[in-house]
Amino acid sequence: METETLALVQEMEFSMWSLFARATIVVKVVMAVLVLASFWCWAVIINKHGQYWRARRETQRFEASFWSGEPLDTLYDALGPIPSGRTERVFVAGMTEWRRSHKADGVAIGGAHARIDRSMDVAIQKEAEELQKGLPLLATIGSTAPFIGLFGTVWGIMSAFIEIGQQQSTNLAVVAPGIAEALLATGLGLLAAIPAVIFYNKLSADSGRIIAGYESFADEFATILSRQLDQN
């Protein structure tokens, strides 16, 4: 009997596709959701790495021009009203408000410093929202994927026990397929969750450093403009 059971088990295919094909409809749906979540997770990770790399390059390039000694009005006119770089947009927001805060005779309107600060703060907030877009998705996948996989595992094991009851047999040929299918759901859940958690933490730290760089630049720029306001 044991020899026949082992022979039946050896004849079974335990590849991932075979396990998926033999699973119940509920477990199949769970596996499909987890696979899609994993692909979605990696799409966000790759996109964010490229976005952050471009943001750092843009900042380096712009700050080289900003601190080169070129007049700020010349730099502002060269960039135009809608620049492509993120740091450039913070700079343009401050310079736009700077120009609006002066009368035709060159006299500054009261409260200019506060308005310039608010303009750059709004610009930074917009850039921060764009940089952090997609990170909540990683956090959601990282926190829920293991439980979705666990649900698939529980359902699969329950189905395996039902199969055992129907066949009134607990031999390996009856138990092994159901248990393997159930555990695959947990594996897929962890496969989606682990990269999501790791890269959520990394990308959150990266975006925080980039945004802190924008805030530091805005503070330095506001100090320069404040000095010029005091001289007028």
Side-chain angles (χ1 to χ4, degrees), residues 24 26 151-164 178-179 182:
T24 63
V26 173
F151 169 75
T153 297
V154 171
W155 191 277
I157 290 175
M158 182 180 68
S159 299
F161 278 117
I162 292 173
E163 183 71 16
I164 290 170
I179 299 299

Side-chain angles (χ1 to χ4, degrees), residues 60-87:
Q60 291 172 357
R61 185 174 61 249
F62 171 74
E63 289 189 346
S65 300
F66 181 83
W67 296 110
S68 65
E70 181 181 4
L72 296 181
D73 287 322
T74 303
L75 181 59
Y76 174 75
D77 293 335
L79 291 174
I82 309 177
S84 58
R86 299 180 187 279
T87 315

Side-chain angles (χ1 to χ4, degrees), residues 118-138:
R118 282 198 297 272
S119 296
M120 289 194 289
D121 286 343
V122 170
I124 291 171
Q125 183 61 35
K126 290 179 180 178
E127 301 305 328
E129 289 176 359
E130 182 64 25
L131 288 170
Q132 293 174 343
K133 187 183 296 183
L135 296 186
L137 174 66
L138 294 182

